[in-house]
Amino acid sequence: MSPNTPYCIATKELSLWYGRFQALIGVSVEIKHGLITALIGPSGCGKTTLLRCFNRVNERYGNVTTTGEIRVLGKNIYDPDVSLIELRKAVGMVFQRPNPLPISVYENVVFGLRIHSPARSLTRSALDEAVERALTEVGLWEDLKDRLHRKGTALQLEQQQKLCIARLLPLKPRLILMDEPCSSLDVEGTRAIEELMFALKGQYTIVIVTHNMAQARRASDECLFMLMGELIEHRRTEDLFLTPQDHRTAEYIEGRYG
Amino acid sequence: MDTMFAETPLVRVKRRRESLARGVFFCMSVAMILPLVAIVTYLVVKAWPTLSWNFLVDIPREGMREGGIWPALVGTIYLVFISLAVAAPLGILAAIYLSEYARDNWFNRIINLAVINLAGVPSIVHALFGLGAFVYAAKFGYSIISASLTLAIMTLPVIIASTREALASVPQSFREACWNVGATRWQTIRSIVLPNSVSGILTGVILQVSRAAGETAPIMFTGAVFYKAVERGTLLPYYLDEQCMALSMHLYTISTQVPGVEESLPYATAVVLLGAVLLVNASAIALRVVLRSRKKW
């Protein structure tokens, strides 16, 4: 994978079918390194489907057909030499409902390391260090350092969501995909996750699906508007909200439908 | 204005119907308990003169008109244990494949259909199948092996169904979490799915003990006998290629085939069979409670 490509993700004429239903129609998009890019659009427009294409996890959800090209960090991820395991290590995902695993906080964070390394190669000190680094990065270390052996599922929702982000970090991902990460959180939780996104941006490329236009507006650098499986408009967030080019975008951000 | 929010006649009728419906459903659920209590009381009262430690460990005497049930008790334990030792691993592994790996295509739908239909096959048909397949075709003869394998085939589909249910109770979001850090299906199953469904899986398997212990037809056709000379209280009286006695079969024999059996003898046998089954089921429930209390999400 060459890091010198202009775009972190680039798709060409990407179409996707669930059985006979076409969920994505010829989507060509280029997502820049190190930015936060938001995917917006009404329910069923294909935002989540597009997001799930980027680590090919769509294929685990049954009868899916894809045509077109997806390049992540310059590499076509449908090339035969692409390992899904390596791809998903590099492209992590955070979900709508926080889904920490029903094991301790500590084990949640090192879960990825454990499944990707032979058991003997992991020393206790390396694991401890990875946990401290990941939890510090998401701002949980101070709160949880004395409670690392509590179950991840017993934390507050906001902490759970941060833990889910921390779980990705030890694998050194390049990209973090977020599927409505704040929709089950309150105002404080949402603010905390957005602040975390700002802190992580630059180091990681973040793509976030959101239903919340205000969130897209305040928390993203670039914005993609989708409708009925098509990409309608992709511009800098400010420009998209202030001077939308397409009338459908304009009507959506005015709240005429959605 | 005074009549605001007052009960109208229609509402009164609805309220009466509501309490009637509630009453009927409550009575039905109470009526479920009555037969069980009645059966157990009746059996225990009738069996009382015979029930003793000696009855458990003694062998049948005087042409099965007196003595105990030791050979039948041990025979049943043999059959149940061996059949589950075969059916549990097979059923659990098959269920894992069907739930966690199989895609929704015609081949897997046929397997599913087969499992469901197999669960509905009457035990006498299983008996005939066991006779043909294990006793004759596989040349195991009338033996504990044949009878156990027949019981295993009979319990297999139910174990598959209960295991699938236990696996389905693990939230899909846990699997998603694993896949999205690059875990393979097997890593997901081993590290997350199985630890969180083991209580349900084990309960399902243990509940099949009572079915295997109670069946008469399949073992009668394939390996159970009326009488087998065994020493009182021996722990391992049978070889696997021999026939054995079994509680369900023994109950049938002394109730209908042997004249002049003391009245309390069959009842005592039934109490032992029922007691063993209840004991096993209770332990399944206890196990589930213990394992459940450890998990939380």
Side-chain angles (χ1 to χ4, degrees), chain A residues 168-182:
Chain A
L168 305 174
L169 304 183
L171 296 175
K172 309 207 184 325
R174 306 291 299 273
L175 246 161
I176 298 178
L177 309 175
M178 299 183 167
D179 187 359
E180 305 201 30
C182 302

Side-chain angles (χ1 to χ4, degrees), chain B residues 131-184:
Chain B
L131 181 67
F134 301 124
V135 177
Y136 292 128
K139 298 199 169 60
F140 290 140
Y142 293 95
S143 61
I144 294 180
I145 280 288
S146 295
S148 304
L149 289 177
T150 309
L151 287 176
I153 297 284
M154 197 189 71
T155 48
L156 196 55
V158 188
I159 289 179
I160 291 179
S162 64
T163 304
R164 292 195 62 177
E165 212 168 292
L167 294 173
S169 73
V170 177
Q172 189 67 11
S173 63
F174 292 166
R175 294 184 183 86
E176 287 177 335
C178 293
W179 300 344
N180 278 288
V181 289
T184 60

Side-chain angles (χ1 to χ4, degrees), chain B residues 96-167:
Chain B
I96 290 176
Y97 175 78
L98 289 172
S99 296
E100 303 292 324
Y101 287 93
R103 283 168 188 264
D104 186 24
N105 58 25
W106 64 270
F107 178 69
N108 292 313
R109 260 178 256 154
I110 287 176
I111 296 184
N112 262 327
L113 207 63
V115 171
I116 293 166
N117 281 307
L118 210 55
V121 171
S123 62
I124 190 81
V125 178
H126 279 294
L128 217 56
F129 170 77
L131 181 67
F134 301 124
V135 177
Y136 292 128
K139 298 199 169 60
F140 290 140
Y142 293 95
S143 61
I144 294 180
I145 280 288
S146 295
S148 304
L149 289 177
T150 309
L151 287 176
I153 297 284
M154 197 189 71
T155 48
L156 196 55
V158 188
I159 289 179
I160 291 179
S162 64
T163 304
R164 292 195 62 177
E165 212 168 292
L167 294 173

